[in-house]
Amino acid sequence: MDRDNPLTEAETRDLRALAALMIPASDVYGVPGADDDLIFADILRSLERDTADARAALALLARMAGGSFADLPAGRRAEIAAAFKREGGAPLFALNRVVLLCYYRDDRVMRSLGQEPRPPFPRGHEVEQGDWSLLDPVRGRAPFYRRAP
Amino acid sequence: MNEKVDVLIIGSGASGAAVAWSLAETKMRILCLEQGDWVKPTDYPSNGRDWEARLFSDFAVNPNRRARPTDYPINDANSPIKVVNFNGVGGSTIMYTAHYPRLHPSDFKVRTLDGVADDWPVDYATLEPFFAENDRMMGVSGLAGDPAYPPKQPPMPPLPLGKSGQRFGRAMNKLGWHWWPSDTTIATVDYDGRGRCLNLGHCTPGCAQGAKASTDITYWPHAIRAGVELRTRARVREIALDERGMASGVVYYDAEGREQFQPAEMVIVACNGVGTPRLMLNSVSGRFPDGIANSSGLVGKNLMFHPYALTYGYVDEPLDGNHGPPLCLWSHEFYETDHRRDFVRGYAFQFGRGFGSIVEAIVSTAAGRLPWGEEHHRIYREQLLNRRIGLSAICEDLPEEHNRVTLDPVLKDSHGIPAPRIDYTISENSHRMMDHGIARATEILEAAGARNIAVERPILNGGWHLLGTARMGTDPARSVVNEWGRCHDVKNMFIVDGSIWVTAGGVNPTSTIQALALYIADSIKRRLADATLFD
């Protein structure tokens, strides 16, 4: 294991195969999958305090696969993944969260969503003031707070 | 040996900062001990590309998940609502939403009006000047004229409605129900050295712009300039007593982990509704074997959280998403007791904008809306991203002694101090109130054109409001502090945080916590002037 990957080689392969099923690449939307080299490297680096949950989830996945999930035929992988999604519980939720956290901050993915790949600060965003006349019916209402003795 | 101070404040959050600033004009020697650090604006998540990820790590709202060295663990396994807080200069104002309603006049008289719980020993009229002073110090944005409240004048204009607020406003008008732009402590114009809101859209885990008022950038700069000393990384273990039964000071651990004794003429506790009873229960002595100032046995009891019932849905066009502060409006249509309903008291609605793109993906995956596989991309883009609108019913939690904070027999913080344990259940009255709120929220969302309506009840990590665990009152057998915050049992010890609340109301409490702290500080000053403070 190295600093950027707390998982074993077998766990890493299974996670990559699972990530490809969670969020596959799409030609329609022009986006990579979650198993893309850059995104997957980010996922491994970002497990941090979710590492124990990730490993627990991957251990369950391997048990359900009867060995290496990554080495199963594609059809069987899909079947196992569907069952794993139902049964994975909190550890899978944590693992899935890390995958999503890394996928949706990838520059290519953000651009495909019409987002600028930048932090919120310092430029912020525009929010329209809106039509304040909508409030007129409420302005016309008599005070209705309950009087206290 | 540390030099004796006149006033020792424990905790630098909402109430500790307010009381420090107010007392500074006395020119007494005032020291505040804070277990956390200053947070630099450059530390806040919205400075970086990983801004959403840090909601799940060093800026998680739940201290057990966040687990900074400055946090203490909380055993909340026996509670359906988990405590959320922040430990640092500014306390949980660093990590609140900045929604800033006041309690209503009726909230102080629930026994008289509705025959439940107890009346407060203070009322809205008494607190009104302190609300106004606090609004000025924290910098409140809002709109005068709300028919749900007595007249008040926020010093800044309200947050923009945006697409989400307009959609909600139209829906509420269709239903004929009250709505109003929320009072918030988000600066909409440059104010007291703070820049105006830039719509970073990520207010809760701290504002890099400084538009959101946390007390580290509101009260504290003024208090420090006026001579108050603020000592960070100072975690108080216990309050000590002298032979006369007066507080003599505190034992704390400094930044290097060394045990220190800090003597004081007067101790003011401002550690929130969990931290305060924890400290008091850890402060045992021959006189107070069950915790300092606890002859009533009520320290730690009557914990109130406000169960939050979140109802949300998705509309057919992109709205504000995470752009702009996540809150925008409130409704107090269902705030008061209505005897046609099957519950007493009521709730406020807090209307929200959407989520950031990553959080939306996470919560929608967990809820089963966002699938794995080929359909993931289409559903995310066409049905979810920036299309969420939602609102929460903030339900009034009535005091019940079995809802409580005690000391965990096993769990300890990094200094070996026993950690708090939470035992809490949601009452039948609160469940019925949530049912009502969810039904009305569903009507609102349907009127707003939302579909795929879903509910989270209660919000799991929704224990923002920590109230009632050292309640105030005039009867020493039924309360911990008197009507101006002084402990019945220890005449130079005061409590100024949400612990002293008698009932919870149905709104976010920070405004009222701070107004109450200013009122107590004013009471202290008046009694200093006529030499009756410790009588």
Side-chain angles (χ1 to χ4, degrees):
Chain A
M1 288 183 220
D2 62 40
R3 196 182 55 177
D4 290 336
N5 181 7
L7 304 181
T8 66
E9 186 177 335
E11 289 168 335
T12 303
R13 292 181 66 242
D14 280 357
L15 176 55
R16 191 158 193 166
L18 180 68
L21 283 169
M22 286 174 165
I23 313 178
S26 170
D27 291 335
V28 174
Y29 296 101
V31 288
D35 60 336
D36 168 83
D37 286 348
L38 284 174
I39 295 171
F40 191 66
D42 190 18
I43 292 169
L44 294 177
R45 277 195 306 272
S46 303
L47 287 171
E48 295 180 344
R49 62 188 77 194
D50 293 308
T51 299
D53 273 339
R55 298 192 76 170
L58 292 168
L60 174 62
L61 181 64
R63 281 199 301 279
M64 293 174 72
S68 168
F69 172 75
D71 290 338
L72 293 174
R76 183 67 182 143
R77 274 206 304 271
E79 288 174 11
I80 296 292
F84 179 53
K85 191 177 182 192
R86 288 192 301 272
E87 298 170 23
L92 172 58
F93 175 74
L95 178 62
N96 205 161
R97 182 174 60 214
V98 177
V99 170
L100 292 162
L101 282 169
C102 297
Y103 185 78
Y104 281 105
R105 69 184 179 205
D106 178 84
D107 287 6
R108 295 160 293 174
V109 175
M110 291 185 74
R111 287 197 180 96
S112 82
L113 295 170
Q115 299 171 335
E116 298 173 90
R118 64 171 175 87
F121 186 78
R123 287 171 55 193
H125 304 285
E126 289 297 321
V127 177
E128 62 188 79
Q129 273 296 321
D131 177 6
W132 284 100
S133 72
L134 286 170
L135 201 56
D136 289 348
V138 194
R139 289 180 201 270
R141 186 170 172 176
F144 68 97
Y145 61 88
R146 192 177 183 188
R147 265 57 173 189
Chain B
M1 181 71 170
N2 291 295
E3 279 186 45
K4 193 172 196 176
V5 296
D6 298 313
V7 182
L8 176 63
I9 301 167
I10 310 167
S12 68
S15 61
V19 82
W21 169 79
S22 179
L23 290 179
E25 69 172 324
T26 64
K27 305 302 178 191
M28 292 190 289
R29 182 170 176 190
I30 302 171
L31 168 66
C32 177
L33 299 180
E34 164 56 52
Q35 66 187 313
D37 295 309
W38 288 93
V39 184
K40 296 192 292 291
T42 49
D43 288 342
Y44 287 127
S46 53
N47 288 283
R49 290 288 303 278
D50 56 352
W51 57 279
E52 285 187 276
R54 290 177 71 190
L55 284 171
F56 303 96
S57 57
D58 62 334
F59 276 86
V61 293
N62 185 317
N64 293 334
R65 170 78 183 180
R66 190 172 62 236
R68 292 177 176 225
T70 47
D71 288 317
Y72 56 88
I74 298 173
N75 179 353
D76 53 14
N78 192 34
S79 173
I81 299 172
K82 308 305 179 188
V83 173
V84 295
N85 67 13
F86 191 78
N87 297 299
V89 178
S92 296
T93 63
I94 296 289
M95 253 201 201
Y96 70 153
T97 62
H99 204 227
Y100 216 63
R102 302 174 179 183
L103 282 184
H104 289 223
S106 58
D107 288 322
F108 299 90
K109 300 289 181 188
V110 298
R111 166 62 69 180
T112 300
L113 291 171
D114 292 325
V116 294
D118 288 299
D119 289 348
W120 291 50
V122 293
D123 58 20
Y124 186 93
T126 303
L127 293 182
E128 198 157 29
F130 303 101
F131 276 123
E133 183 172 47
N134 185 57
D135 283 0
R136 182 178 59 78
M137 287 300 294
M138 289 292 281
V140 171
S141 67
L143 186 66
D146 186 348
Y149 273 103
K152 55 188 167 63
Q153 182 62 58
M156 283 183 275
L159 293 171
L161 291 172
K163 291 185 172 69
S164 314
Q166 292 177 94
R167 193 173 267 260
F168 273 130
R170 290 190 185 97
M172 295 299 276
N173 286 348
K174 199 183 298 182
L175 293 164
W177 291 343
H178 168 261
W179 64 283
W180 200 259
S182 296
D183 285 0
T184 77
T185 49
I186 296 169
T188 50
V189 296
D190 293 349
Y191 188 88
D192 191 25
R194 290 156 50 200
R196 66 176 174 81
C197 176
L198 299 172
N199 300 308
L200 304 181
H202 203 52
C203 307
T204 301
C207 180
Q209 163 76 348
K212 185 181 89 170
S214 42
T215 59
D216 59 325
I217 58 170
T218 57
Y219 278 107
W220 275 114
H222 294 285
I224 290 169
R225 275 201 298 275
V228 178
E229 181 188 355
L230 174 53
R231 199 175 293 166
T232 57
R233 287 275 185 155
R235 176 174 278 158
V236 177
R237 186 184 74 197
E238 63 183 274
I239 301 166
L241 274 184
D242 66 18
E243 65 283 357
R244 299 169 300 147
M246 301 284 271
S248 58
V250 302
V251 179
Y252 75 96
Y253 295 100
D254 68 16
E256 282 72 47
R258 292 175 305 220
E259 184 177 315
Q260 302 261 5
F261 181 72
Q262 175 60 59
E265 296 286 352
M266 176 194 324
V267 173
I268 299 177
V269 186
C271 305
N272 78 42
V274 170
T276 288
R278 176 203 184 199
L279 173 61
M280 293 174 72
L281 294 170
N282 272 315
S283 302
V284 295
S285 60
R287 185 183 292 251
F288 295 115
D290 299 320
I292 193 166
N294 192 21
S295 66
S296 67
L298 290 172
V299 172
K301 294 181 179 171
N302 297 304
L303 173 67
M304 297 174 284
F305 273 137
H306 289 141
Y308 267 68
L310 169 66
T311 312
Y312 60 95
Y314 295 86
V315 298
D316 57 2
E317 64 168 348
L319 299 178
D320 299 321
N322 70 301
H323 296 177
L327 49 90
C328 51
L329 312 173
W330 66 37
S331 172
H332 292 232
E333 183 70 32
F334 306 105
Y335 196 79
E336 297 292 355
T337 294
D338 181 337
H339 294 293
R340 293 168 297 183
R341 301 179 195 140
D342 60 355
F343 58 89
V344 291
R345 307 298 298 158
Y347 58 89
F349 275 129
Q350 175 178 319
F351 296 80
R353 300 185 209 269
F355 286 174
S357 56
I358 297 178
V359 171
E360 183 61 63
I362 290 170
V363 298
S364 285
T365 299
R369 282 184 298 273
L370 182 57
W372 291 357
E374 296 295 334
E375 280 286 90
H376 177 95
H377 301 289
R378 183 186 67 78
I379 290 175
Y380 183 64
R381 285 164 169 76
E382 294 181 5
Q383 298 180 15
L384 301 175
L385 179 64
N386 293 338
R387 290 163 193 263
R388 171 189 286 250
I389 53 172
L391 65 163
S392 292
I394 309 171
C395 296
E396 175 165 351
D397 215 359
L398 289 169
E400 298 172 284
E401 290 192 14
H402 61 85
N403 288 334
R404 64 194 185 277
V405 179
T406 55
L407 297 178
D408 191 273
V410 177
L411 193 64
K412 292 180 170 54
D413 67 18
S414 57
H415 291 97
I417 305 171
R421 172 194 159 104
I422 310 297
D423 291 280
Y424 174 88
T425 55
I426 298 172
S427 72
E428 188 56 36
N429 190 67
S430 294
H431 275 298
R432 289 175 184 162
M433 200 183 302
M434 283 197 285
D435 290 342
H436 188 273
I438 290 165
R440 298 294 83 72
T442 301
E443 290 180 66
I444 294 166
L445 288 167
E446 287 172 347
R451 56 189 162 69
N452 294 330
I453 292 171
V455 170
E456 183 180 349
R457 64 169 293 175
I459 294 178
L460 178 71
N461 280 307
W464 297 104
H465 308 155
L466 312 174
L467 307 167
T469 50
R471 67 206 312 246
M472 67 193 316
T474 53
D475 179 358
R478 294 293 306 145
S479 56
V480 178
V481 299
N482 70 7
E483 66 275 22
W484 44 282
R486 191 180 74 179
C487 291
H488 292 297
D489 296 342
V490 182
K491 293 191 186 307
N492 66 339
M493 178 176 161
F494 298 79
I495 305 174
V496 294
D497 58 57
S499 307
I500 63 177
W501 283 36
V502 180
T503 54
V507 293
N508 317 60
T510 308
S511 170
T512 308
I513 287 173
Q514 293 185 294
L516 202 52
L518 292 176
Y519 158 73
I520 292 170
D522 190 67
S523 301
I524 290 171
K525 286 185 283 191
R526 283 189 285 108
R527 287 171 172 82
L528 274 171
D530 62 13
T532 59
L533 184 59
F534 301 144
D535 286 354

